[in-house]
């Protein structure tokens, strides 16, 4: 078989990354400090939107209205509460007019109007105790936030007989951005100490445990610098910072865990540090490269979508994955060379082993994973059908999914902008600030405008039509739906308005129109993203295994492993179950882009663990030719490591899931569930059961593909003969059961690209 990476090439890489270890670490320290400086303030430059399609009709109409009628779309709302008095009370009216005049005098604020100046019923609550002042803040998102920070303190609070609270889309997005930054800091404070504790449990050595954490921090800081640079040329969502933290810690720790564990095992066989690093990079290093590639491919699929919300996660995710892999393959070997045998220093597990007899794996007679493997292999049909049925059952709630758009209900119930918007939903006619705008382009007569207005007013979902406001050859109408801004009726009304004939060109925008266009854009591109992920995954897994069936199994079982996540998302976040326990307000729908994001991230992470299991099974099958023994051996050797890595990543995702913003909470908790289900159910039960049922046919490939794999495949022969000791010769403290010792089973891997 032709080798892709020959031992001399690997040797040169080992010499390269270890030739000047102190210089390498010093350079890394300097680059990290520069990344801290370059990435400082990145959160202030990130946007809280990005759900709209930039090429959609609604986007065009919004920009045209902002250009031609800058006062047409208020994004700042002041809720004026008169208490027990009426908003028509003379004292209340006088104070409200004074506030309106003060707001109109502010810089960068236009289109100021109010119930008291326009006498519009839509701006007055049905109970008569509340009314609105509306305005538009100009500028980009950062400038709008700065303006809001400047004017809000003098406006909110009690003013004579009225109390003022601030809402509107600008307030919602600004408050969301602030809360996300605060929550991210808190999540890091939660995740870091817990992760360090778990790493100490895995490695025993406090020194070894600190290395993966350091790699994760380097990856996060580097990605922040990348995002800061991207904000100079494109829009980036503030939500992407959550993925940066989660993957930066999770994957960097996984990669470093594989490499550090393998390095310690090589030292245990008597190898010197340089030789141990060489073997580690030929085995664990290949797994890191392959795993990083599979995750990056899944995240890259989000670049196919036009919404910058999704594209931001691709930017952040791909950057952090590549930086984590680079740090693990360049900086970590340099650190390990300097540490040598001191990597095992401060073994805290010795405190709990005093007096306990040491046992080797041979004496143990079979670990818990070996017993699990044996049971699954004996009852393969039961586990295959039973596990599949359970996963499908858990995913059934997703059949009732309802797609919506992100609004104020993403925020905590106590958030000021959420409180204001909820008052509008509950107490005002229609949906103030959530209506539809119809842009009319082309010269028309007053009679033609009036005739068109009558036609749209006659539509059953229309509550009221205002306008037209005419400027040159353009005009616009404001259409108020009868229900909420984005309910099914409002979305249907968008289609009705777009199909209503007019003697001029019309374009429809507004919250419901943006949602309709976003759903259409995702629906158009989703098949292409699915095809991209599927084809590349099939190719990568084929290059790893040389089998035609295993790549198909990997794609199908990976997708099946995500069913519980999608079912839980609908059951919890759409239907509102556990909303009190988890502290969020259910909007009754799922934001349109979230399932796409969660699928790409969770699928990539599932492949990350799948690669490790499949590569170990492949290695054993190549060595023995015994299919069932290879499957059993692969699960026994890797089950504990996969579980440990999944638990660490899940801890990070749960910390992200403590966010007070619902989308972030959904992302963190949903992916944590997917990762745990994949590691503990799919990899432990379903994969070995299915492979047992498919038997030796699992490894079949037609002759042309076999020749292709022999020439280009990623599986490698023995890089170098084993040095004396086999896996069973590893000291007992590197063996045994549980998270701490499961990774010790990696010591015999020598050949596969995924072996660690």
């Amino acid at each position: 078989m032709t080798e892709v990476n020959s031992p001399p090439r690997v040797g040169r890489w080992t010499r390269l990354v270890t030739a000047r270890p102190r210089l390498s670490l010093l350079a890394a320290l300097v680059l990290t400090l520069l990344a801290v400086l370059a990435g400082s303030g990145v959160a202030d430059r990130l946007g809280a939107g990005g759900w709209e399609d930039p090429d959609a009709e609604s986007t065009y109409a919004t920009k045209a209205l902002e250009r031609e009628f800058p006062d047409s779309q208020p994004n700042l709302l002041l809720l004026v509460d008169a208490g027990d008095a009426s908003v028509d009370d003379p004292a209340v009216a006088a104070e409200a007019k004074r506030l309106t005049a003060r707001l109109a005098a502010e810089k960068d604020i236009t289109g100021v109007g109010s119930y008291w100046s326009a006498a519009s019923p839509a701006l007055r609550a049905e109970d008569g105790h509340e009314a609105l002042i509306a305005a538009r803040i100009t500028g980009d998102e950062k400038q709008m936030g700065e303006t809001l920070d400047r004017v809000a303190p003098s406006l909110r609070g009690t003013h004579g007989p009225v109390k003022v609270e601030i809402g509107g889309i600008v307030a919602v997005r600004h408050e969301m951005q602030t809360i996300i930054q605060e929550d991210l800091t808190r999540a890091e404070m939660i995740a870091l100490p817990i992760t360090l504790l778990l790493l100490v449990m895995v490695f025993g050595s406090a020194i070894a445990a600190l290395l993966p954490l350091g790699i994760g921090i380097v990856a996060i800081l580097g990605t922040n610098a990348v995002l800061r640079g991207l904000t100079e040329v494109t829009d980036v969502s503030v939500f992407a910072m959550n993925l940066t933290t989660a993957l930066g810690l999770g994957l960097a720790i996984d990669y470093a865990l594989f490499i550090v564990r393998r390095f310690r095992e090589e030292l245990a066989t008597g190898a010197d540090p340089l030789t141990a690093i060489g073997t580690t990079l030929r085995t664990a290093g290949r797994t890191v490269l392959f795993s990083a590639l599979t995750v990056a491919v899944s995240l890259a699929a989000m670049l196919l979508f036009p919404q910058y919300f999704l594209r931001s996660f691709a930017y952040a995710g791909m950057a952090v994955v590549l930086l984590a892999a680079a740090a693990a393959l360049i900086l970590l070997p340099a650190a390990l060379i300097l540490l040598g045998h001191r990597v095992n220093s401060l073994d805290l597990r010795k405190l709990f082993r005093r007096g306990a007899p040491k046992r080797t794996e041979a004496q143990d007679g079979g670990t818990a994973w070996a017993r699990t493997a044996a049971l699954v292999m004996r009852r393969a049909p039961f586990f295959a059908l039973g596990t599949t049925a359970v996963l499908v059952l858990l995913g059934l709630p997703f059949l009732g999914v309802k797609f919506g758009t992100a609004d104020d209900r993403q925020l905590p119930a106590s958030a000021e902008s959420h409180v204001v918007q909820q008052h509008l939903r509950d107490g005002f006619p229609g949906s103030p600030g959530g209506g539809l705008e119809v842009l009319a382009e082309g010269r028309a007569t007053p009679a033609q405008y009036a005739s068109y207005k009558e036609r749209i007013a006659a539509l059953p979902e229309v509550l009221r039509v205002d306008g037209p406001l005419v400027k040159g050859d353009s005009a616009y109408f404001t259409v108020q739906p009868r229900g909420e801004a984005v309910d099914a009726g409002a979305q249907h009304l968008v289609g009705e308005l777009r199909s209503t004939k007019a003697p001029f060109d019309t374009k429809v925008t507004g919250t419901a129109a943006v949602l309709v266009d976003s759903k259409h854009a995702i629906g158009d591109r989703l098949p292409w993203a699915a095809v991209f992920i599927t084809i590349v995954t099939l190719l990568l897994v084929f290059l790893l295994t040389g089998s035609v069936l295993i790549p198909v199994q990997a794609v199908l079982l990976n997708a099946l492993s995500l069913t519980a996540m999608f079912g839980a998302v609908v059951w919890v976040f759409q239907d509102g179950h556990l909303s009190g326990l988890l502290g969020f307000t259910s909007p009754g729908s799922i934001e349109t882009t979230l399932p796409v994001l969660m699928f790409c991230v969770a699928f990539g992470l599932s492949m990350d663990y799948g690669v490790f299991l499949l590569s170990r099974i492949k290695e054993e099958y190549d060595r023995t030719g015994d299919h069932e023994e290879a499957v059993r051996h692969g699960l026994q050797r890797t089950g504990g490591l996969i579980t440990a890595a999944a638990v660490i990543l899940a801890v990070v995702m749960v910390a992200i899931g403590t966010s007070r913003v619902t989308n972030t909470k959904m992302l963190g908790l949903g992916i944590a569930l997917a990762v745990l289900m994949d590691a503990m159910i799919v990899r432990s039960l379903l994969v070995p059961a299915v492979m047992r049922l498919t038997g030796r046919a699992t490894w079949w490939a037609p002759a042309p593909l076999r020749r292709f794999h022999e020439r280009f495949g990623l599986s490698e022969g023995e890089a170098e003969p084993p040095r004396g000791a086999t896996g069973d010769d590893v000291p007992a403290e590197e063996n045994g059961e549980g998270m701490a010792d499961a990774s010790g089973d990696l010591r015999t891997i020598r050949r596969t690209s995924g072996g660690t």
Side-chain angles (χ1 to χ4, degrees), residues 692-728:
R692 166 64 178 83
L693 293 175
T694 54
R696 291 179 62 87
T698 302
W699 305 100
W700 178 83
L705 288 181
R706 285 201 305 272
R707 289 191 294 271
F708 179 87
H709 180 262
E710 289 173 359
R711 181 174 178 82
F712 300 106
L714 299 175
S715 292
E716 303 256 350
E718 196 79 8
E720 64 181 7
R723 294 174 311 279
T726 65
D728 292 335

Side-chain angles (χ1 to χ4, degrees), residues 48 73-77 135-141 143-149 166-177 417 421:
Q73 295 178 304
N75 52 24
L76 177 66
L77 298 175
R136 179 168 186 81
I137 302 179
T138 60
D140 59 27
E141 197 163 319
Q143 292 169 334
M144 288 190 288
E146 292 172 348
T147 300
L148 182 65
D149 284 337
I166 298 177
I169 187 62
V170 169
V172 170
R173 290 187 174 182
H174 189 60
E175 197 162 7
M176 188 179 297
Q177 188 176 40
S417 57
Q421 300 301 125

Side-chain angles (χ1 to χ4, degrees), residues 431-453:
S431 181
L436 296 169
E437 287 83 29
V438 181
L439 172 68
E441 294 182 309
R443 188 171 297 277
T445 65
Q448 289 174 319
Y449 285 135
S451 176
Y452 177 71
K453 181 176 180 179

Side-chain angles (χ1 to χ4, degrees), residues 40 52 157 187-188 274 284 303 333 356 384 395 530-531 549 596 642 658 667 676 680 688 720:
S40 62
E52 67 279 355
E188 291 170 347
L274 183 59
L303 293 175
V531 168
L549 185 58
V596 176
I642 291 173
T658 62
L667 176 68
L676 293 176
M680 298 182 177
E720 64 181 7

Side-chain angles (χ1 to χ4, degrees), residues 270 327 495 605:
L605 294 176

Side-chain angles (χ1 to χ4, degrees), residues 472-524:
D473 292 342
S474 299
Y476 81 92
F477 301 82
T478 301
V479 181
Q480 196 66 49
R482 290 190 180 276
E484 289 195 16
V486 293
D487 64 10
Q491 294 180 56
H492 183 261
L493 178 58
V494 172
E496 292 290 310
L497 291 172
R498 287 174 173 173
S499 62
T500 299
K501 293 183 179 180
F504 34 72
D505 292 332
T506 61
K507 300 288 190 296
V508 181
T509 188
T511 307
V514 170
L515 174 59
V516 169
D517 291 339
S518 180
K519 290 166 65 175
H520 178 73
I522 289 177
D524 277 352

Side-chain angles (χ1 to χ4, degrees), residues 25 35 50 52 62 95 124 126 134 188 256 258 321 483 494-495 525 552 667 697:
L25 294 179
E52 67 279 355
T62 298
E95 184 62 31
R124 181 180 183 272
E126 293 173 341
E188 291 170 347
F258 297 158
V321 168
V494 172
R525 292 161 178 79
V552 176
L667 176 68

Side-chain angles (χ1 to χ4, degrees), residues 362-386:
Q363 293 170 333
D364 193 31
T367 65
W369 287 107
R371 293 191 293 270
T372 299
L375 177 62
V376 171
M377 300 290 279
R378 285 197 306 270
R379 301 287 187 267
F382 169 79
F383 281 102
L385 294 176

